[in-house]
Amino acid sequence: ASFTISLHKADNVTVTIKLRPGLSPSCRIRVKNVIWSELKIKPGQNVTFSFTCSTPEKYFITEIQKNIDCVSGPCPFGDVHLYPPGLPRLNRTYIWDVKASTKAGLELKFTTSWLRQIEPGERCPDSISYNINSSIDKATVNIGTFCRNGSVSRVKLLGGVVMSLRLPWHSPLTTSGFNIANRASIKRLCIIESILKGESSITLMSPNYPLGFPEDELMTWQFVIPPNMRASVFFHNYSLSNCERKEERVEYYIPGSPSNPEVFKLSDSQPANIAGSFNMSLQGCDQDAQNPGVLRLLFQVVVQHPQVDENVTHLVDLSKEKNMTVTIHSEGWPSHIPLMSEPICLICKDPRTCDRVLTLTSGAVYRISFLCKDLSRLRITAEKGIGCMDIRWCQGKIYSLSVPKAIIQLPIRLHKFIWKLLATDLINVEVTSPSLKLQQHVPEQRCNTSYSYSIVSATPETELNVGVFCPGGSIEKIQMRNNITISLKTFGKGFINESISQDLKMSFVPHIKDECIFTVSPKPKAKVYLQTPNWPYGLPPYVSVSWFIVVPSRQTARLGFSKDRMGIACETGRAYVNIKEEILGAEEIVRREDELLPQPRNMHHDFWVNVSNCKPVDKTQLTLQFWVTFADKKIDLGIILAVVAGAVVLAAIGLTVFCVKKKKKKTQNPMVGVYNANVNTQIPGKKGLFGKGRQNNESHVYAVIDDAVVYGHLLKESNGSVSPEVDVYRPFDGPVGSLPPSPPPFSFRKDIKRSSNTEEEPLPLTDTDQDAYTFAHQKSGQSEDKGDANKKDEGDTSVPLLENKEQDGLAE
């Protein structure tokens, strides 16, 4: 197919058809049998041509440039047309180069579709884009690149303008969509007008973005907003130049404001919750010639309906907190930036100071409000620092790791609360959960609570992920070295109720030898799963971790490992697993990395499990998981039977003794004691009543006649088959005074056990004689009556009971 392009000289239009940059000339242009790789048609020419290929749109582009001189003659104001017609279907770029005096202003008004500014490198969805450049003398400033379907309705410029429109080869567009009008001088680089209807947002950039805004220039954005709507301005990216004179700033003209213009630094929080239309201007400065720097700005304007509860304020009292920050932000911050189409949520410190992210610091009281339809899209992230540089000032002090009520009472969900515990090398951290206790999150025992704790131990060189824990387990205490970060993360809305019972506490303790020490105090009949820190990546080389497992009383623990071996090979050092019960003389079980781990075994006392890593040969590090179950202690069946049999025998013996005693008591007379009449019996405790000392007399010798002997003639009737029962009295081994104690009555012997707590202590002996009191028993061949016994007293016919080793005891 051939094409004919005819250009009128008065139109001052030039058409250039050329190859796409970077393509080889596989397709050419044929003009009267002459092959060209580029064709340029000037004003007043009429050219007919064709292509040597069937798909020229893949190789060629068309540039149509119209020069308009508004300096030496009148300007053709009005709608701008796409001229000339009949162009081949190639990617086209229309360029209008309008030269005008700086004493006048030009206005580009977009009629069919308003524009939306895009960042450099961004593409428009329909591949149709506008680019606007301001031309003052020989300097050109890129105002911006725009797509269709936006809110920019007009652009006013000082001096000349170079306007371009890019169309893809398949675009059916036949009109430019804008007109040019003449305006009085605007006394600034440009004015961009944006009309925002309903809830919407717009992103705009300073001229030349991301390069620098021209030195000491001024430009303005005009925002037309319905009076019943609210607008907020957010600076997303900016930089400042090095000023020699003046100061770079942003000025707002807000109708009805008592302080117009309101001046802000680019680093300030910009105005929010603005009712109705307003203007915003960017003012540059005189830059340092040697090091000018770059002034640039990318910002967003968000328009939304007034919120029902925009006048409701929430008190956040952080006056008593120290080293704490509270950040209120949208969900997914900071990695996720809400899309322009998403409804925006604002947090306000006062009616005009609002932002999508608000950070509150400790030591102050805040009254905040929210401009947000759905508060469930907001989150809170807080951080608190606790430090100890001298153990003398920290030891013994207990810090509560609970979320302050000032945060919980807000209508915003807590996303994360981070405690950073900092200490010197010789000071360690102890974390306790006395009542709730902690459960380690492992595949076999997952946390299902509304919140969990992630604990990380860190040094400048290494970082050890101790693990993820949740309340309601068996870990009562964790001792850790180095600086510790504890992150509380919430899941769902249940944290508000569960937060009431928070009991996590921490304190600083002296240096410990292991990297971590866990104290596990389970409930009876519990099953606990535990695993080494840094799971699943493994313990760092040479790290040692210990667990102290408390075995409940009347319980037996059973310890087992989840695999048979440690699964590593050591290059330097050895990896060990040590198990030892906390009891004197307990056997210590030790396994190296090249040995099988212990089989499941019962532990009857509190015990330790220690895991120490070596430097492995390869990148595989030591990971170990073990479990502990608890059950009631079981008594051996043989022992039970022996105890029962013993009890039966004892019961039979007791019954026999009871019957014999009962039979005796029916005919038994009171027991008879024979007292040695050859000694002076004086009141004990009085000195000087005895002529001789105790060593020289027999005052401490008593003869006792048991009732079995007194009534021995009754026993003879049984042909001597029953021997009388006798008691054995052991000698007194303590010091013996010069005076003997009064002999106790026999009735006292029966009640001594039950009344010993109420009896008065005996008078102290006044001498240190070592003699023992001796009781004598009458031989079986002595006279059976009392008179015969008295006659034989002087003949020493009695036998001391202490020498009678064959008899076991006297019956009562």
Side-chain angles (χ1 to χ4, degrees), residues 206-505:
S206 58
N208 280 343
Y209 187 89
L211 302 178
F213 185 69
E215 181 180 6
D216 196 23
E217 273 291 358
L218 172 66
M219 74 158 293
T220 298
W221 291 271
Q222 293 178 336
F223 299 100
V224 181
I225 297 169
N228 63 331
M229 303 296 286
R230 300 291 182 267
S232 302
V233 180
F234 305 100
F235 287 3
H236 294 304
N237 188 16
Y238 70 89
S239 65
L240 303 175
S241 58
N242 298 316
C243 298
E244 282 189 345
R245 292 187 303 161
K246 300 181 182 178
E247 186 178 10
E248 295 164 338
R249 62 189 184 274
V250 180
E251 297 179 354
Y252 292 88
Y253 181 84
I254 302 173
S257 173
S259 56
N260 279 324
E262 296 185 19
V263 180
F264 291 80
K265 295 180 180 180
L266 275 73
S267 58
D268 293 337
S269 292
Q270 303 303 309
N273 203 23
I274 302 171
S277 302
F278 67 98
N279 293 351
M280 171 185 148
S281 298
L282 175 64
Q283 174 67 63
C285 67
D286 291 334
Q287 298 173 349
D288 184 352
Q290 302 298 324
N291 184 20
V294 174
L295 170 62
R296 60 176 168 230
L297 173 63
L298 183 148
F299 66 99
Q300 181 186 17
V301 177
V302 177
V303 178
Q304 50 192 161
H305 288 288
Q307 304 304 312
V308 176
D309 58 348
E310 65 177 329
N311 295 323
V312 177
T313 59
H314 302 270
L315 182 68
V316 183
D317 187 357
L318 304 179
S319 58
K320 296 181 181 179
E321 299 291 342
K322 294 181 180 179
N323 301 323
M324 189 170 80
T325 60
V326 178
T327 302
I328 306 174
H329 54 86
S330 59
E331 187 177 8
W333 174 88
S335 57
H336 172 70
I337 298 175
L339 300 174
M340 300 302 178
S341 58
E342 293 182 20
I344 195 166
C345 282
L346 302 180
I347 309 101
C348 305
K349 284 195 294 187
D350 56 62
R352 287 282 301 281
T353 307
C354 305
D355 208 336
R356 291 191 297 185
V357 178
L358 178 64
T359 299
L360 311 176
T361 57
S362 55
V365 178
Y366 302 89
R367 294 184 180 275
I368 64 173
S369 59
F370 301 98
L371 292 176
C372 184
K373 281 187 175 180
D374 185 8
L375 292 180
S376 66
R377 297 173 55 240
L378 291 178
R379 296 289 184 270
I380 298 175
T381 297
E383 184 176 305
K384 183 178 179 66
I386 303 174
C388 178
M389 299 298 110
D390 190 338
I391 192 65
R392 293 176 298 176
W393 300 105
C394 311
Q395 192 171 11
K397 188 174 182 180
I398 298 176
Y399 302 85
S400 174
L401 301 184
S402 57
V403 181
K405 292 182 180 179
I407 296 176
I408 297 176
Q409 68 185 7
L410 288 174
I412 308 299
R413 175 179 153 189
L414 175 67
H415 169 61
K416 189 180 289 186
F417 197 108
I418 303 170
W419 291 274
K420 292 192 173 181
L421 314 177
L422 308 176
T424 59
D425 293 340
L426 298 179
I427 303 176
N428 299 141
V429 172
E430 179 178 286
V431 176
T432 61
S433 180
S435 57
L436 293 179
K437 300 182 183 179
L438 298 177
Q439 172 193 318
Q440 188 171 14
H441 179 78
V442 297
E444 292 78 8
Q445 208 167 47
R446 297 180 178 274
C447 291
N448 57 2
T449 54
S450 64
Y451 65 99
S452 67
Y453 299 99
S454 173
I455 303 179
V456 176
S457 170
T459 64
E461 297 81 19
T462 61
E463 184 175 282
L464 180 69
N465 184 7
V466 178
V468 176
F469 304 87
C470 57
S474 302
I475 301 174
E476 187 174 336
K477 180 170 61 178
I478 307 175
Q479 292 176 305
M480 295 162 286
R481 294 164 60 182
N482 308 321
N483 295 328
I484 307 298
T485 299
I486 301 178
S487 302
L488 182 151
K489 189 175 182 180
T490 63
F491 308 95
K493 300 178 181 179
F495 175 73
I496 297 176
N497 297 325
E498 293 188 13
S499 65
I500 300 173
S501 59
Q502 292 179 89
D503 74 333
L504 198 68
K505 300 179 179 4

Side-chain angles (χ1 to χ4, degrees), residues 28-333:
R28 300 293 186 93
I29 303 171
R30 180 183 290 112
V31 180
K32 295 181 180 180
N33 296 324
V34 178
I35 301 300
W36 302 88
S37 58
E38 181 175 318
L39 177 63
K40 189 172 185 178
I41 306 173
K42 296 180 180 180
Q45 291 182 337
N46 188 352
V47 179
T48 299
F49 61 93
S50 63
F51 296 98
T52 61
C53 62
S54 59
T55 55
E57 65 275 7
K58 295 181 179 180
Y59 303 96
F60 291 98
I61 58 174
T62 304
E63 242 180 43
I64 306 99
Q65 180 168 335
K66 179 178 177 66
N67 295 322
I68 303 174
D69 186 0
C70 295
V71 177
S72 56
C75 286
F77 297 124
D79 291 338
V80 176
H81 302 283
L82 298 182
Y83 177 86
L87 293 174
R89 287 168 59 86
L90 304 175
N91 287 352
R92 291 157 286 165
T93 301
Y94 292 90
I95 301 172
W96 296 271
D97 187 351
V98 183
K99 289 181 171 54
S101 170
T102 57
K103 296 180 180 180
L106 293 176
E107 177 183 281
L108 305 177
K109 185 176 181 181
F110 300 94
T111 53
T112 58
S113 178
W114 293 341
L115 305 185
R116 173 177 63 88
Q117 190 172 6
I118 60 173
E119 295 185 48
E122 187 179 350
R123 295 177 61 86
C124 297
D126 58 2
S127 298
I128 299 175
S129 64
Y130 294 85
N131 183 262
I132 303 173
N133 287 271
S134 173
S135 177
I136 302 176
D137 298 328
K138 295 182 179 181
T140 300
V141 178
N142 180 18
I143 303 301
T145 302
F146 302 82
C147 300
R148 298 194 303 171
N149 302 319
S151 62
V152 175
S153 57
R154 288 188 296 178
V155 178
K156 303 174 186 177
L157 301 110
L158 181 66
V161 59
V162 178
M163 177 75 175
S164 63
L165 168 63
R166 296 179 184 275
L167 300 176
W169 66 271
H170 53 77
S171 173
L173 195 66
T174 57
T175 60
S176 66
F178 71 96
N179 60 43
I180 300 177
N182 187 20
R183 290 291 179 265
S185 176
I186 58 176
K187 298 180 180 180
R188 60 200 65 204
L189 176 64
C190 65
I191 299 174
I192 298 176
E193 180 187 80
S194 181
I195 300 176
L196 296 163
K197 296 180 178 180
E199 287 197 336
S200 57
S201 69
I202 181 174
T203 300
L204 295 166
M205 285 144 273
S206 58
N208 280 343
Y209 187 89
L211 302 178
F213 185 69
E215 181 180 6
D216 196 23
E217 273 291 358
L218 172 66
M219 74 158 293
T220 298
W221 291 271
Q222 293 178 336
F223 299 100
V224 181
I225 297 169
N228 63 331
M229 303 296 286
R230 300 291 182 267
S232 302
V233 180
F234 305 100
F235 287 3
H236 294 304
N237 188 16
Y238 70 89
S239 65
L240 303 175
S241 58
N242 298 316
C243 298
E244 282 189 345
R245 292 187 303 161
K246 300 181 182 178
E247 186 178 10
E248 295 164 338
R249 62 189 184 274
V250 180
E251 297 179 354
Y252 292 88
Y253 181 84
I254 302 173
S257 173
S259 56
N260 279 324
E262 296 185 19
V263 180
F264 291 80
K265 295 180 180 180
L266 275 73
S267 58
D268 293 337
S269 292
Q270 303 303 309
N273 203 23
I274 302 171
S277 302
F278 67 98
N279 293 351
M280 171 185 148
S281 298
L282 175 64
Q283 174 67 63
C285 67
D286 291 334
Q287 298 173 349
D288 184 352
Q290 302 298 324
N291 184 20
V294 174
L295 170 62
R296 60 176 168 230
L297 173 63
L298 183 148
F299 66 99
Q300 181 186 17
V301 177
V302 177
V303 178
Q304 50 192 161
H305 288 288
Q307 304 304 312
V308 176
D309 58 348
E310 65 177 329
N311 295 323
V312 177
T313 59
H314 302 270
L315 182 68
V316 183
D317 187 357
L318 304 179
S319 58
K320 296 181 181 179
E321 299 291 342
K322 294 181 180 179
N323 301 323
M324 189 170 80
T325 60
V326 178
T327 302
I328 306 174
H329 54 86
S330 59
E331 187 177 8
W333 174 88

Side-chain angles (χ1 to χ4, degrees), residues 435-657:
S435 57
L436 293 179
K437 300 182 183 179
L438 298 177
Q439 172 193 318
Q440 188 171 14
H441 179 78
V442 297
E444 292 78 8
Q445 208 167 47
R446 297 180 178 274
C447 291
N448 57 2
T449 54
S450 64
Y451 65 99
S452 67
Y453 299 99
S454 173
I455 303 179
V456 176
S457 170
T459 64
E461 297 81 19
T462 61
E463 184 175 282
L464 180 69
N465 184 7
V466 178
V468 176
F469 304 87
C470 57
S474 302
I475 301 174
E476 187 174 336
K477 180 170 61 178
I478 307 175
Q479 292 176 305
M480 295 162 286
R481 294 164 60 182
N482 308 321
N483 295 328
I484 307 298
T485 299
I486 301 178
S487 302
L488 182 151
K489 189 175 182 180
T490 63
F491 308 95
K493 300 178 181 179
F495 175 73
I496 297 176
N497 297 325
E498 293 188 13
S499 65
I500 300 173
S501 59
Q502 292 179 89
D503 74 333
L504 198 68
K505 300 179 179 4
M506 66 79 54
S507 57
F508 294 101
V509 296
H511 186 71
I512 60 174
K513 65 174 184 176
D514 291 333
E515 197 72 29
C516 298
I517 299 177
F518 298 85
T519 299
V520 184
S521 180
K523 297 178 181 179
K525 298 184 180 180
K527 185 169 186 178
V528 182
Y529 289 91
L530 299 165
Q531 63 189 19
T532 50
N534 231 37
W535 189 277
Y537 306 106
L539 285 176
Y542 309 118
V543 167
S544 177
V545 183
S546 293
W547 291 263
F548 179 65
I549 290 93
V550 178
V551 180
S553 60
R554 299 181 183 178
Q555 293 263 308
T556 298
R558 188 164 182 81
L559 168 67
F561 292 87
S562 59
K563 56 185 180 180
D564 296 333
R565 294 181 178 272
M566 298 187 206
I568 62 169
C570 291
E571 177 184 336
T572 306
R574 288 286 194 181
Y576 290 97
V577 171
N578 298 60
I579 305 168
K580 187 176 182 182
E581 285 188 301
E582 187 80 350
I583 186 173
L584 187 63
E587 176 190 2
E588 183 172 5
I589 303 167
V590 181
R591 295 290 187 273
R592 294 196 312 251
E593 79 282 354
D594 56 352
E595 297 176 328
L596 289 172
L597 291 171
Q599 292 296 317
R601 58 190 298 113
N602 291 334
M603 314 295 287
H604 302 284
H605 306 278
D606 301 348
F607 63 97
W608 286 89
V609 176
N610 174 266
V611 177
S612 301
N613 196 15
C614 61
K615 182 182 179 183
V617 174
D618 51 25
K619 294 182 180 180
T620 302
Q621 298 292 346
L622 175 58
T623 59
L624 206 59
Q625 185 187 84
F626 60 94
W627 48 262
V628 185
T629 59
F630 297 87
D632 293 333
K633 287 184 178 179
K634 295 181 179 180
I635 302 176
D636 187 79
L637 183 59
I639 297 176
I640 295 175
L641 294 175
V643 171
V644 171
V648 171
V649 171
L650 290 176
I653 294 173
L655 182 61
T656 303
V657 172

Side-chain angles (χ1 to χ4, degrees), residues 663-778:
K663 182 177 181 181
K664 287 181 182 181
K665 285 182 180 180
K666 291 181 179 179
T667 58
Q668 187 177 14
N669 291 326
M671 297 177 67
V672 178
V674 179
Y675 184 68
N676 192 343
N678 294 327
V679 247
N680 181 15
T681 56
Q682 299 292 335
I683 299 175
K686 302 292 184 179
K687 294 183 180 181
L689 295 181
F690 289 91
K692 297 184 293 183
R694 295 183 61 193
Q695 294 87 343
N696 302 324
N697 64 35
E698 296 180 353
S699 62
H700 56 291
V701 179
Y702 296 88
V704 178
I705 302 175
D706 190 75
D707 53 355
V709 179
V710 174
Y711 302 100
H713 65 283
L714 298 176
L715 298 174
K716 290 179 181 179
E717 296 176 0
S718 61
N719 298 325
S721 60
V722 179
S723 300
E725 295 181 332
V726 293
D727 286 339
V728 177
Y729 292 83
R730 300 190 182 278
F732 177 75
D733 296 327
V736 179
S738 59
L739 294 177
S742 299
F746 280 94
S747 60
F748 175 78
R749 294 170 59 203
K750 296 180 180 180
D751 301 330
I752 188 167
K753 287 187 178 179
R754 67 169 178 265
S755 62
S756 59
N757 293 334
T758 58
E759 291 291 331
E760 295 183 1
E761 294 183 2
L763 294 174
L765 299 177
T766 58
D767 205 343
T768 58
D769 296 344
Q770 300 298 321
D771 291 347
Y773 294 101
T774 306
F775 292 88
H777 194 284
Q778 190 175 9

